[in-house]
């Protein structure tokens, strides 16, 4: 009797315990509709390995997760994307605003402190500012964009019977010039003030560090032969002019 008990595997034996546990988890997964597939539980369930990709199959293109909207809706983004491309068009010198991701830069800025005028005094009384003072009012920049884009769309539909994003380049220029010259009469904001703000934001997006969503692949800097964010020039300061490949803030993280 004792010999039979010695030959019988004990419940603590791993050869007995592990298959039993796997069977339980597999059955549990079936009971839950097969949802137990990941994490600590899923790792215990034996599954067929995925076949390896062919050696000559190209790697999938990298996804830029920064290219997503944080403030604009799709219609607003289409207007800004088209307008900034007319303000900063592609030509023989290099890419334009669309390729540089300027509309994404503006979207991300308006979603943050810049859009909320977070570091500015925004309390009354409000007076018309001098030219050197800039905007004086209660509206935040994100609110000015919402109004300005809506009025650009209304003007395009009224004058040209099409959405701004659907106009030809020449027609879009016509609308932008009407805003720049205050030909468009708005009650809540200045049409020319809105145009100047968008023009300034366009240039900022083309030449800011790629960290902020624009200046894709530092191509804005390359057009200007601008070196970007260099840590030091001490090894070059005593030399003749030297062309330097632009460097972004991200590249300073390579050693960390």
């Amino acid at each position: 009797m004792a010999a039979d008990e010695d030959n019988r595997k004990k419940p603590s034996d791993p050869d007995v315990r592990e298959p039993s546990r796997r069977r339980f988890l597999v059955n549990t997964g079936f009971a839950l509709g097969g949802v137990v597939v990941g994490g600590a539980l899923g790792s215990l369930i034996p599954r067929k390995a995925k076949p390896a990709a062919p050696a000559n199959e190209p790697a999938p293109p990298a996804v830029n997760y920064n290219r997503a909207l944080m403030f604009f809706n799709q219609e607003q983004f289409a207007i800004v994307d088209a307008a900034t491309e007319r303000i900063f068009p592609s030509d023989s010198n290099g890419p334009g605003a669309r390729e540089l991701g300027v509309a994404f830069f503006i979207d991300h800025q308006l979603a943050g402190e810049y859009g909320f005028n977070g570091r500015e005094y925004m309390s009354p009384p409000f007076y018309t500012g001098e030219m050197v003072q800039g905007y004086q009012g209660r509206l935040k920049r994100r609110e000015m964009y919402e109004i300005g884009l809506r009025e650009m769309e209304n003007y395009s539909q009224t004058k040209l019977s099409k959405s701004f994003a659907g106009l030809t380049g020449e027609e879009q220029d016509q609308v932008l010039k009407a805003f720049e010259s205050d030909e468009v009469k708005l009650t809540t904001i200045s049409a020319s003030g809105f145009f100047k703000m968008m023009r300034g934001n366009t240039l900022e997006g083309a030449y800011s560090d790629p960290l902020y969503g624009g200046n894709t692949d530092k191509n804005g800097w390359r057009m200007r032969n601008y070196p970007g964010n260099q840590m030091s020039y001490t090894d070059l300061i005593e030399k003749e002019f030297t062309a330097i490949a632009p460097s972004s803030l991200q590249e300073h993280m390579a050693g960390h």
Side-chain angles (χ1 to χ4, degrees):
M1 189 70 177
D4 291 340
E5 289 179 355
D6 291 338
N7 293 332
R8 189 182 302 127
K9 289 186 179 289
K10 297 179 181 179
S12 60
D13 193 309
D15 292 339
V16 174
R17 186 176 67 253
E18 293 304 325
S20 176
R21 180 185 300 168
R22 288 195 178 92
R23 282 196 300 272
F24 168 75
L25 291 172
V26 170
N27 292 336
T28 304
F30 289 145
L32 296 176
V35 297
V36 184
V37 294
L41 293 179
S43 65
L44 297 175
I45 303 173
R47 296 188 296 271
K48 293 182 179 180
K50 295 182 179 180
N56 58 352
E57 183 176 319
V63 178
N64 185 350
Y65 293 102
N66 200 30
R67 294 300 176 91
L69 299 182
M70 301 171 67
F71 172 69
F72 292 137
N73 60 35
Q74 297 289 340
E75 181 182 8
Q76 292 169 329
F77 178 80
I79 296 172
V80 174
D81 193 42
T84 55
E85 179 66 18
R86 298 308 299 173
I87 294 172
F88 195 97
S90 61
D91 57 20
S92 59
N93 294 312
R98 179 171 289 126
E99 189 175 344
L100 291 172
V102 166
F104 287 105
F105 166 84
I106 296 176
D107 170 78
H108 295 180
Q109 290 297 302
L110 293 177
E113 271 198 291
Y114 177 80
F116 284 100
N117 297 62
R119 301 186 182 185
E120 299 173 34
Y121 184 79
M122 297 292 291
S123 298
F126 300 107
Y127 300 100
T128 301
E130 301 294 334
M131 292 297 295
V132 295
Q133 292 178 305
Y135 171 72
Q136 305 284 308
R138 62 170 51 85
L139 290 175
K140 299 178 176 65
R141 293 186 183 93
R142 60 195 340 223
E143 295 170 330
M144 295 174 68
Y145 259 93
E146 289 179 325
I147 295 169
L149 295 177
R150 183 171 63 247
E151 294 297 344
M152 282 182 65
E153 183 67 10
N154 291 340
Y155 185 84
S156 300
Q157 294 284 2
T158 301
K159 292 291 184 179
L160 300 165
S161 302
K162 284 189 289 186
S163 170
F164 180 85
L167 299 175
T168 66
E170 291 73 17
E171 290 171 333
Q172 289 172 347
D173 289 347
Q174 179 183 335
V175 174
L176 292 172
K177 288 177 181 176
F179 271 73
E180 183 181 21
S181 63
D182 275 323
E183 178 185 328
V184 182
K185 303 302 179 183
L186 306 180
T187 57
T188 51
I189 63 173
S190 160
S192 62
F194 171 67
F195 173 83
K196 290 175 183 176
M197 179 172 62
M198 184 162 58
R199 181 182 182 277
N201 294 155
T202 299
L203 297 177
E204 291 165 357
Y207 297 125
S208 64
D209 192 281
L211 164 69
Y212 300 104
N215 189 16
T216 303
D217 295 330
K218 300 172 287 187
N219 287 327
W221 289 344
R222 288 191 174 89
M223 285 190 288
R224 307 289 296 180
N225 292 321
Y226 179 68
N229 293 296
Q230 301 288 332
M231 294 296 288
S232 173
Y233 297 95
T234 54
D235 58 333
L236 300 172
I237 197 168
E238 299 295 337
K239 298 180 181 180
E240 297 293 329
F241 175 79
T242 303
I244 306 173
S247 175
S248 70
L249 290 170
Q250 189 276 335
E251 287 165 305
H252 300 318
M253 299 293 295
H256 296 271

